[in-house]
mmCIF file of all heavy atoms in Angstrom:
data_model
loop_
_atom_site.group_PDB
_atom_site.id
_atom_site.type_symbol
_atom_site.label_atom_id
_atom_site.label_comp_id
_atom_site.label_asym_id
_atom_site.label_seq_id
_atom_site.Cartn_x
_atom_site.Cartn_y
_atom_site.Cartn_z
ATOM 1 N N ARG A 29 13.201 9.124 13.916
ATOM 2 C CA ARG A 29 12.150 8.439 14.666
ATOM 3 C C ARG A 29 11.474 7.394 13.783
ATOM 4 O O ARG A 29 11.334 7.592 12.574
ATOM 5 C CB ARG A 29 11.102 9.436 15.150
ATOM 6 C CG ARG A 29 11.665 10.534 16.034
ATOM 7 C CD ARG A 29 10.627 11.607 16.286
ATOM 8 N NE ARG A 29 11.216 12.751 16.974
ATOM 9 C CZ ARG A 29 10.707 13.976 16.943
ATOM 10 N NH1 ARG A 29 9.593 14.224 16.277
ATOM 11 N NH2 ARG A 29 11.307 14.960 17.592
ATOM 12 N N ARG A 30 11.040 6.311 14.395
ATOM 13 C CA ARG A 30 10.341 5.280 13.639
ATOM 14 C C ARG A 30 9.109 5.859 12.939
ATOM 15 O O ARG A 30 8.786 5.490 11.811
ATOM 16 C CB ARG A 30 9.936 4.130 14.562
ATOM 17 C CG ARG A 30 9.271 2.967 13.833
ATOM 18 C CD ARG A 30 9.005 1.798 14.738
ATOM 19 N NE ARG A 30 8.038 2.117 15.775
ATOM 20 C CZ ARG A 30 7.134 1.240 16.236
ATOM 21 N NH1 ARG A 30 7.101 0.020 15.749
ATOM 22 N NH2 ARG A 30 6.304 1.574 17.198
ATOM 23 N N ALA A 31 8.422 6.799 13.611
ATOM 24 C CA ALA A 31 7.239 7.413 13.018
ATOM 25 C C ALA A 31 7.591 8.169 11.733
ATOM 26 O O ALA A 31 6.796 8.198 10.788
ATOM 27 C CB ALA A 31 6.584 8.360 14.021
ATOM 28 N N ASP A 32 8.775 8.790 11.685
ATOM 29 C CA ASP A 32 9.208 9.472 10.468
ATOM 30 C C ASP A 32 9.339 8.481 9.320
ATOM 31 O O ASP A 32 8.915 8.744 8.192
ATOM 32 C CB ASP A 32 10.567 10.150 10.677
ATOM 33 C CG ASP A 32 10.572 11.172 11.798
ATOM 34 O OD1 ASP A 32 9.567 11.867 11.961
ATOM 35 O OD2 ASP A 32 11.595 11.256 12.502
ATOM 36 N N ARG A 33 9.961 7.349 9.623
ATOM 37 C CA ARG A 33 10.211 6.359 8.580
ATOM 38 C C ARG A 33 8.911 5.711 8.108
ATOM 39 O O ARG A 33 8.750 5.413 6.918
ATOM 40 C CB ARG A 33 11.219 5.336 9.095
ATOM 41 C CG ARG A 33 12.546 5.978 9.503
ATOM 42 C CD ARG A 33 13.621 4.967 9.848
ATOM 43 N NE ARG A 33 13.385 4.234 11.072
ATOM 44 C CZ ARG A 33 13.703 4.668 12.287
ATOM 45 N NH1 ARG A 33 14.241 5.873 12.451
ATOM 46 N NH2 ARG A 33 13.494 3.913 13.363
ATOM 47 N N ALA A 34 7.976 5.510 9.034
ATOM 48 C CA ALA A 34 6.670 4.979 8.639
ATOM 49 C C ALA A 34 5.943 5.972 7.742
ATOM 50 O O ALA A 34 5.325 5.591 6.733
ATOM 51 C CB ALA A 34 5.843 4.675 9.887
ATOM 52 N N ALA A 35 6.009 7.246 8.093
ATOM 53 C CA ALA A 35 5.348 8.276 7.290
ATOM 54 C C ALA A 35 5.909 8.314 5.869
ATOM 55 O O ALA A 35 5.164 8.490 4.895
ATOM 56 C CB ALA A 35 5.502 9.639 7.959
ATOM 57 N N GLU A 36 7.218 8.131 5.740
ATOM 58 C CA GLU A 36 7.850 8.137 4.420
ATOM 59 C C GLU A 36 7.285 7.020 3.551
ATOM 60 O O GLU A 36 6.959 7.228 2.374
ATOM 61 C CB GLU A 36 9.364 7.974 4.587
ATOM 62 C CG GLU A 36 10.129 7.888 3.284
ATOM 63 C CD GLU A 36 11.592 7.538 3.502
ATOM 64 O OE1 GLU A 36 11.955 7.110 4.611
ATOM 65 O OE2 GLU A 36 12.366 7.678 2.544
ATOM 66 N N MET A 37 7.147 5.829 4.118
ATOM 67 C CA MET A 37 6.642 4.693 3.349
ATOM 68 C C MET A 37 5.167 4.867 2.988
ATOM 69 O O MET A 37 4.744 4.563 1.866
ATOM 70 C CB MET A 37 6.837 3.401 4.146
ATOM 71 C CG MET A 37 8.286 3.055 4.433
ATOM 72 S SD MET A 37 9.230 2.851 2.896
ATOM 73 C CE MET A 37 10.841 2.456 3.577
ATOM 74 N N LEU A 38 4.361 5.361 3.927
ATOM 75 C CA LEU A 38 2.942 5.543 3.659
ATOM 76 C C LEU A 38 2.713 6.631 2.617
ATOM 77 O O LEU A 38 1.817 6.517 1.764
ATOM 78 C CB LEU A 38 2.205 5.878 4.952
ATOM 79 C CG LEU A 38 2.122 4.727 5.968
ATOM 80 C CD1 LEU A 38 1.556 5.234 7.289
ATOM 81 C CD2 LEU A 38 1.260 3.594 5.436
ATOM 82 N N LEU A 39 3.509 7.682 2.666
ATOM 83 C CA LEU A 39 3.387 8.733 1.666
ATOM 84 C C LEU A 39 3.735 8.203 0.280
ATOM 85 O O LEU A 39 3.068 8.530 -0.715
ATOM 86 C CB LEU A 39 4.286 9.916 2.031
ATOM 87 C CG LEU A 39 4.176 11.143 1.123
ATOM 88 C CD1 LEU A 39 2.762 11.715 1.153
ATOM 89 C CD2 LEU A 39 5.191 12.203 1.531
ATOM 90 N N ALA A 40 4.776 7.373 0.192
ATOM 91 C CA ALA A 40 5.134 6.777 -1.092
ATOM 92 C C ALA A 40 3.993 5.911 -1.628
ATOM 93 O O ALA A 40 3.644 5.968 -2.815
ATOM 94 C CB ALA A 40 6.400 5.936 -0.935
ATOM 95 N N PHE A 41 3.372 5.115 -0.759
ATOM 96 C CA PHE A 41 2.258 4.256 -1.169
ATOM 97 C C PHE A 41 1.095 5.095 -1.699
ATOM 98 O O PHE A 41 0.438 4.722 -2.675
ATOM 99 C CB PHE A 41 1.810 3.409 0.022
ATOM 100 C CG PHE A 41 0.715 2.434 -0.298
ATOM 101 C CD1 PHE A 41 0.997 1.236 -0.935
ATOM 102 C CD2 PHE A 41 -0.601 2.706 0.047
ATOM 103 C CE1 PHE A 41 -0.015 0.333 -1.239
ATOM 104 C CE2 PHE A 41 -1.620 1.811 -0.238
ATOM 105 C CZ PHE A 41 -1.325 0.613 -0.882
ATOM 106 N N ASP A 42 0.857 6.241 -1.058
ATOM 107 C CA ASP A 42 -0.269 7.088 -1.445
ATOM 108 C C ASP A 42 -0.012 7.907 -2.703
ATOM 109 O O ASP A 42 -0.974 8.349 -3.355
ATOM 110 C CB ASP A 42 -0.625 8.051 -0.305
ATOM 111 C CG ASP A 42 -1.278 7.362 0.881
ATOM 112 O OD1 ASP A 42 -1.699 6.193 0.729
ATOM 113 O OD2 ASP A 42 -1.358 7.988 1.952
ATOM 114 N N THR A 43 1.244 8.130 -3.088
ATOM 115 C CA THR A 43 1.538 9.106 -4.140
ATOM 116 C C THR A 43 2.213 8.548 -5.390
ATOM 117 O O THR A 43 2.163 9.197 -6.441
ATOM 118 C CB THR A 43 2.427 10.240 -3.593
ATOM 119 O OG1 THR A 43 3.628 9.685 -3.036
ATOM 120 C CG2 THR A 43 1.685 11.026 -2.505
ATOM 121 N N PHE A 44 2.857 7.390 -5.313
ATOM 122 C CA PHE A 44 3.586 6.893 -6.485
ATOM 123 C C PHE A 44 2.675 6.814 -7.715
ATOM 124 O O PHE A 44 3.078 7.109 -8.839
ATOM 125 C CB PHE A 44 4.180 5.516 -6.200
ATOM 126 C CG PHE A 44 5.542 5.560 -5.548
ATOM 127 C CD1 PHE A 44 5.954 6.670 -4.825
ATOM 128 C CD2 PHE A 44 6.404 4.468 -5.633
ATOM 129 C CE1 PHE A 44 7.207 6.704 -4.201
ATOM 130 C CE2 PHE A 44 7.647 4.494 -5.022
ATOM 131 C CZ PHE A 44 8.049 5.603 -4.310
ATOM 132 N N GLY A 45 1.419 6.400 -7.510
ATOM 133 C CA GLY A 45 0.515 6.228 -8.647
ATOM 134 C C GLY A 45 0.026 7.518 -9.262
ATOM 135 O O GLY A 45 -0.604 7.494 -10.328
ATOM 136 N N SER A 46 0.318 8.648 -8.647
ATOM 137 C CA SER A 46 -0.159 9.925 -9.180
ATOM 138 C C SER A 46 0.807 10.550 -10.183
ATOM 139 O O SER A 46 0.483 11.571 -10.790
ATOM 140 C CB SER A 46 -0.399 10.913 -8.037
ATOM 141 O OG SER A 46 0.826 11.278 -7.409
ATOM 142 N N ILE A 47 1.979 9.959 -10.343
ATOM 143 C CA ILE A 47 3.016 10.542 -11.195
ATOM 144 C C ILE A 47 3.144 9.732 -12.479
ATOM 145 O O ILE A 47 3.420 8.519 -12.426
ATOM 146 C CB ILE A 47 4.371 10.577 -10.457
ATOM 147 C CG1 ILE A 47 4.240 11.342 -9.143
ATOM 148 C CG2 ILE A 47 5.455 11.201 -11.344
ATOM 149 C CD1 ILE A 47 3.768 12.767 -9.300
ATOM 150 N N PRO A 48 2.958 10.355 -13.646
ATOM 151 C CA PRO A 48 3.096 9.622 -14.914
ATOM 152 C C PRO A 48 4.484 9.001 -15.073
ATOM 153 O O PRO A 48 5.492 9.587 -14.673
ATOM 154 C CB PRO A 48 2.854 10.707 -15.967
ATOM 155 C CG PRO A 48 2.064 11.761 -15.255
ATOM 156 C CD PRO A 48 2.563 11.748 -13.838
ATOM 157 N N ALA A 49 4.521 7.809 -15.641
ATOM 158 C CA ALA A 49 5.763 7.085 -15.946
ATOM 159 C C ALA A 49 6.558 6.725 -14.692
ATOM 160 O O ALA A 49 7.754 6.435 -14.772
ATOM 161 C CB ALA A 49 6.648 7.884 -16.909
ATOM 162 N N HIS A 50 5.916 6.713 -13.548
ATOM 163 C CA HIS A 50 6.586 6.366 -12.291
ATOM 164 C C HIS A 50 6.515 4.866 -12.075
ATOM 165 O O HIS A 50 5.606 4.197 -12.582
ATOM 166 C CB HIS A 50 5.888 7.093 -11.131
ATOM 167 C CG HIS A 50 6.709 7.213 -9.885
ATOM 168 N ND1 HIS A 50 6.911 6.178 -9.006
ATOM 169 C CD2 HIS A 50 7.384 8.277 -9.371
ATOM 170 C CE1 HIS A 50 7.660 6.588 -8.007
ATOM 171 N NE2 HIS A 50 7.967 7.863 -8.198
ATOM 172 N N VAL A 51 7.462 4.308 -11.326
ATOM 173 C CA VAL A 51 7.341 2.904 -10.948
ATOM 174 C C VAL A 51 6.047 2.726 -10.152
ATOM 175 O O VAL A 51 5.569 3.656 -9.483
ATOM 176 C CB VAL A 51 8.546 2.426 -10.106
ATOM 177 C CG1 VAL A 51 9.816 2.489 -10.929
ATOM 178 C CG2 VAL A 51 8.679 3.217 -8.817
ATOM 179 N N GLU A 52 5.474 1.530 -10.244
ATOM 180 C CA GLU A 52 4.217 1.261 -9.570
ATOM 181 C C GLU A 52 4.467 0.747 -8.150
ATOM 182 O O GLU A 52 5.456 0.068 -7.891
ATOM 183 C CB GLU A 52 3.405 0.219 -10.344
ATOM 184 C CG GLU A 52 3.029 0.654 -11.758
ATOM 185 C CD GLU A 52 2.308 -0.442 -12.498
ATOM 186 O OE1 GLU A 52 1.883 -1.427 -11.852
ATOM 187 O OE2 GLU A 52 2.179 -0.322 -13.729
ATOM 188 N N VAL A 53 3.554 1.056 -7.251
ATOM 189 C CA VAL A 53 3.643 0.541 -5.896
ATOM 190 C C VAL A 53 2.832 -0.743 -5.816
ATOM 191 O O VAL A 53 1.738 -0.843 -6.372
ATOM 192 C CB VAL A 53 3.162 1.584 -4.874
ATOM 193 C CG1 VAL A 53 1.671 1.880 -5.018
ATOM 194 C CG2 VAL A 53 3.464 1.151 -3.456
ATOM 195 N N VAL A 54 3.387 -1.753 -5.169
ATOM 196 C CA VAL A 54 2.747 -3.057 -5.068
ATOM 197 C C VAL A 54 2.162 -3.273 -3.675
ATOM 198 O O VAL A 54 1.052 -3.780 -3.519
ATOM 199 C CB VAL A 54 3.744 -4.186 -5.417
ATOM 200 C CG1 VAL A 54 3.118 -5.559 -5.213
ATOM 201 C CG2 VAL A 54 4.241 -4.032 -6.848
ATOM 202 N N ASP A 55 2.883 -2.878 -2.659
ATOM 203 C CA ASP A 55 2.448 -3.134 -1.282
ATOM 204 C C ASP A 55 3.164 -2.163 -0.355
ATOM 205 O O ASP A 55 4.169 -1.542 -0.724
ATOM 206 C CB ASP A 55 2.774 -4.586 -0.894
ATOM 207 C CG ASP A 55 2.062 -5.057 0.369
ATOM 208 O OD1 ASP A 55 1.069 -4.400 0.751
ATOM 209 O OD2 ASP A 55 2.492 -6.049 0.968
ATOM 210 N N VAL A 56 2.658 -2.021 0.837
ATOM 211 C CA VAL A 56 3.325 -1.259 1.878
ATOM 212 C C VAL A 56 3.054 -1.962 3.196
ATOM 213 O O VAL A 56 1.999 -2.574 3.368
ATOM 214 C CB VAL A 56 2.822 0.204 1.933
ATOM 215 C CG1 VAL A 56 1.366 0.282 2.380
ATOM 216 C CG2 VAL A 56 3.691 1.063 2.850
ATOM 217 N N GLY A 57 4.006 -1.921 4.101
ATOM 218 C CA GLY A 57 3.793 -2.625 5.358
ATOM 219 C C GLY A 57 4.892 -2.371 6.354
ATOM 220 O O GLY A 57 5.692 -1.439 6.211
ATOM 221 N N SER A 58 4.939 -3.229 7.337
ATOM 222 C CA SER A 58 5.886 -3.097 8.436
ATOM 223 C C SER A 58 6.634 -4.406 8.604
ATOM 224 O O SER A 58 6.093 -5.489 8.353
ATOM 225 C CB SER A 58 5.127 -2.764 9.730
ATOM 226 O OG SER A 58 5.969 -2.830 10.849
ATOM 227 N N LEU A 59 7.860 -4.300 9.044
ATOM 228 C CA LEU A 59 8.641 -5.467 9.415
ATOM 229 C C LEU A 59 8.427 -5.710 10.897
ATOM 230 O O LEU A 59 8.759 -4.861 11.732
ATOM 231 C CB LEU A 59 10.127 -5.237 9.123
ATOM 232 C CG LEU A 59 11.062 -6.424 9.338
ATOM 233 C CD1 LEU A 59 10.705 -7.576 8.408
ATOM 234 C CD2 LEU A 59 12.506 -6.006 9.122
ATOM 235 N N THR A 60 7.852 -6.840 11.249
ATOM 236 C CA THR A 60 7.520 -7.116 12.645
ATOM 237 C C THR A 60 8.781 -7.454 13.447
ATOM 238 O O THR A 60 9.852 -7.686 12.881
ATOM 239 C CB THR A 60 6.529 -8.274 12.759
ATOM 240 O OG1 THR A 60 7.143 -9.473 12.285
ATOM 241 C CG2 THR A 60 5.267 -8.004 11.939
ATOM 242 N N ARG A 61 8.626 -7.492 14.757
ATOM 243 C CA ARG A 61 9.780 -7.737 15.624
ATOM 244 C C ARG A 61 10.406 -9.108 15.397
ATOM 245 O O ARG A 61 11.591 -9.299 15.660
ATOM 246 C CB ARG A 61 9.364 -7.592 17.096
ATOM 247 C CG ARG A 61 9.072 -6.164 17.506
ATOM 248 C CD ARG A 61 8.772 -6.057 18.990
ATOM 249 N NE ARG A 61 8.570 -4.677 19.406
ATOM 250 C CZ ARG A 61 7.413 -4.055 19.380
ATOM 251 N NH1 ARG A 61 6.330 -4.694 18.955
ATOM 252 N NH2 ARG A 61 7.315 -2.795 19.779
ATOM 253 N N ASP A 62 9.612 -10.071 14.931
ATOM 254 C CA ASP A 62 10.174 -11.405 14.691
ATOM 255 C C ASP A 62 10.559 -11.619 13.237
ATOM 256 O O ASP A 62 10.755 -12.740 12.790
ATOM 257 C CB ASP A 62 9.208 -12.496 15.152
ATOM 258 C CG ASP A 62 7.862 -12.430 14.439
ATOM 259 O OD1 ASP A 62 7.663 -11.488 13.635
ATOM 260 O OD2 ASP A 62 7.021 -13.319 14.676
ATOM 261 N N GLY A 63 10.687 -10.517 12.468
ATOM 262 C CA GLY A 63 11.239 -10.612 11.125
ATOM 263 C C GLY A 63 10.244 -10.875 10.017
ATOM 264 O O GLY A 63 10.647 -11.118 8.878
ATOM 265 N N ARG A 64 8.956 -10.834 10.304
ATOM 266 C CA ARG A 64 7.950 -11.050 9.264
ATOM 267 C C ARG A 64 7.528 -9.708 8.661
ATOM 268 O O ARG A 64 7.622 -8.674 9.299
ATOM 269 C CB ARG A 64 6.722 -11.761 9.835
ATOM 270 C CG ARG A 64 6.980 -13.181 10.312
ATOM 271 C CD ARG A 64 5.723 -13.797 10.914
ATOM 272 N NE ARG A 64 5.300 -13.095 12.128
ATOM 273 C CZ ARG A 64 4.256 -12.285 12.209
ATOM 274 N NH1 ARG A 64 3.500 -12.032 11.149
ATOM 275 N NH2 ARG A 64 3.935 -11.697 13.360
ATOM 276 N N PHE A 65 7.044 -9.787 7.413
ATOM 277 C CA PHE A 65 6.499 -8.600 6.774
ATOM 278 C C PHE A 65 4.990 -8.570 6.985
ATOM 279 O O PHE A 65 4.293 -9.550 6.719
ATOM 280 C CB PHE A 65 6.808 -8.607 5.264
ATOM 281 C CG PHE A 65 8.254 -8.335 4.951
ATOM 282 C CD1 PHE A 65 9.117 -9.372 4.642
ATOM 283 C CD2 PHE A 65 8.751 -7.040 4.979
ATOM 284 C CE1 PHE A 65 10.450 -9.133 4.364
ATOM 285 C CE2 PHE A 65 10.083 -6.788 4.702
ATOM 286 C CZ PHE A 65 10.938 -7.831 4.392
ATOM 287 N N LEU A 66 4.484 -7.440 7.472
ATOM 288 C CA LEU A 66 3.064 -7.271 7.747
ATOM 289 C C LEU A 66 2.512 -6.223 6.794
ATOM 290 O O LEU A 66 2.901 -5.062 6.841
ATOM 291 C CB LEU A 66 2.850 -6.825 9.196
ATOM 292 C CG LEU A 66 1.412 -6.532 9.624
ATOM 293 C CD1 LEU A 66 0.585 -7.822 9.607
ATOM 294 C CD2 LEU A 66 1.382 -5.901 11.009
ATOM 295 N N SER A 67 1.609 -6.634 5.909
ATOM 296 C CA SER A 67 1.075 -5.720 4.908
ATOM 297 C C SER A 67 0.123 -4.700 5.535
ATOM 298 O O SER A 67 -0.665 -5.020 6.422
ATOM 299 C CB SER A 67 0.324 -6.501 3.823
ATOM 300 O OG SER A 67 -0.285 -5.608 2.907
ATOM 301 N N LEU A 68 0.200 -3.466 5.040
ATOM 302 C CA LEU A 68 -0.720 -2.403 5.436
ATOM 303 C C LEU A 68 -1.444 -1.827 4.220
ATOM 304 O O LEU A 68 -2.013 -0.740 4.290
ATOM 305 C CB LEU A 68 0.043 -1.274 6.145
ATOM 306 C CG LEU A 68 0.743 -1.620 7.454
ATOM 307 C CD1 LEU A 68 1.521 -0.414 7.947
ATOM 308 C CD2 LEU A 68 -0.254 -2.064 8.512
ATOM 309 N N ARG A 69 -1.440 -2.573 3.104
ATOM 310 C CA ARG A 69 -1.966 -1.994 1.874
ATOM 311 C C ARG A 69 -3.458 -1.683 1.952
ATOM 312 O O ARG A 69 -3.956 -0.828 1.221
ATOM 313 C CB ARG A 69 -1.679 -2.909 0.684
ATOM 314 C CG ARG A 69 -2.298 -4.295 0.732
ATOM 315 C CD ARG A 69 -1.932 -5.096 -0.527
ATOM 316 N NE ARG A 69 -2.429 -6.453 -0.453
ATOM 317 C CZ ARG A 69 -1.751 -7.478 0.069
ATOM 318 N NH1 ARG A 69 -0.529 -7.266 0.569
ATOM 319 N NH2 ARG A 69 -2.262 -8.700 0.094
#
């Protein structure tokens, strides 16, 4: 489900910074129907 995939991305945005030596998160968002990236940070 699209909701599952959205949850995966939002969880990554919320948690990547809590783990030592982890890659940093820069942004999180959605790909709109016309192909644009929409930030949700």
Side-chain angles (χ1 to χ4, degrees):
R29 302 171 188 157
R30 183 174 65 144
D32 301 323
R33 301 187 291 276
E36 177 188 14
M37 297 300 180
L38 291 172
L39 185 61
F41 183 79
D42 289 346
T43 57
F44 273 23
S46 67
I47 304 301
H50 200 283
V51 296
E52 299 176 13
V53 66
V54 176
D55 195 18
V56 67
S58 171
L59 186 62
T60 65
R61 289 184 177 88
D62 59 356
R64 294 178 295 106
F65 288 101
L66 177 66
S67 175
L68 297 176
R69 62 180 176 270

